Amino acid sequence: MSSSDGADFKTWFDAKYAETDGFTALILLISMANNRVDMLSCSYVHVIGSGTTWTDMKAMLDVSRRKWDAFAVFPEYPPGGGPLIDLVAKARLQERIDDVTANRMVLNDAGLFDARGRSIRIDPLEIN
C-alpha cells in the first residue's frame, strides 16, 4: 500500500465528521467493468467518532467478500448533526438505492472512492 492510499478518503471523512459531529454513512459497494456501474451491496454505519482510518474502512468493506471496485458514502444526519435513528437510516438507504438505480450520476453526490481510497467520479458514457 502506498503512502497515498486512503488519503482522499481520510480527508473527506475528517471534513464530514467536523461538519456534522457524527453522521450515518450510507454505503454502496460498486463494481465497475465494461462501461457499467453496478451496485453490489449496501449497508449503513453510524459514525460517532473521528478516528476512522482508511485501513479500518477497507477492512469493513472487504468483510462483504464481494469483489468491489469502488464505494459510495452518502453522509446523512438530522438537524444539528449526529447519527440517524435506525428506522430513518434504513429508509434513507433505500431512497439512495432507488436514486442510484434510476440514475448512476447520483453517485457523484456522495463521497465516491476507488479501492485505494482515492476520490473518483462517474462521467456519462458518450455513445458515437
Side-chain angles (χ1 to χ4, degrees), residues 33-56:
N34 303 320
N35 292 324
R36 292 181 51 92
V37 176
D38 295 311
M39 290 182 286
L40 299 172
S41 64
C42 61
S43 191
Y44 67 90
V45 62
H46 300 302
V47 178
I48 56 172
S50 62
T52 299
T53 66
W54 168 242
T55 303
D56 297 334

Side-chain angles (χ1 to χ4, degrees), residues 4-31:
S4 64
D5 279 0
D8 289 349
F9 169 77
K10 186 64 174 156
T11 299
W12 178 88
F13 179 89
D14 289 346
K16 286 299 169 193
Y17 187 82
E19 196 178 293
T20 62
D21 197 27
F23 58 95
T24 296
L26 310 179
I27 302 169
L28 303 178
L29 279 183
I30 300 165
S31 170

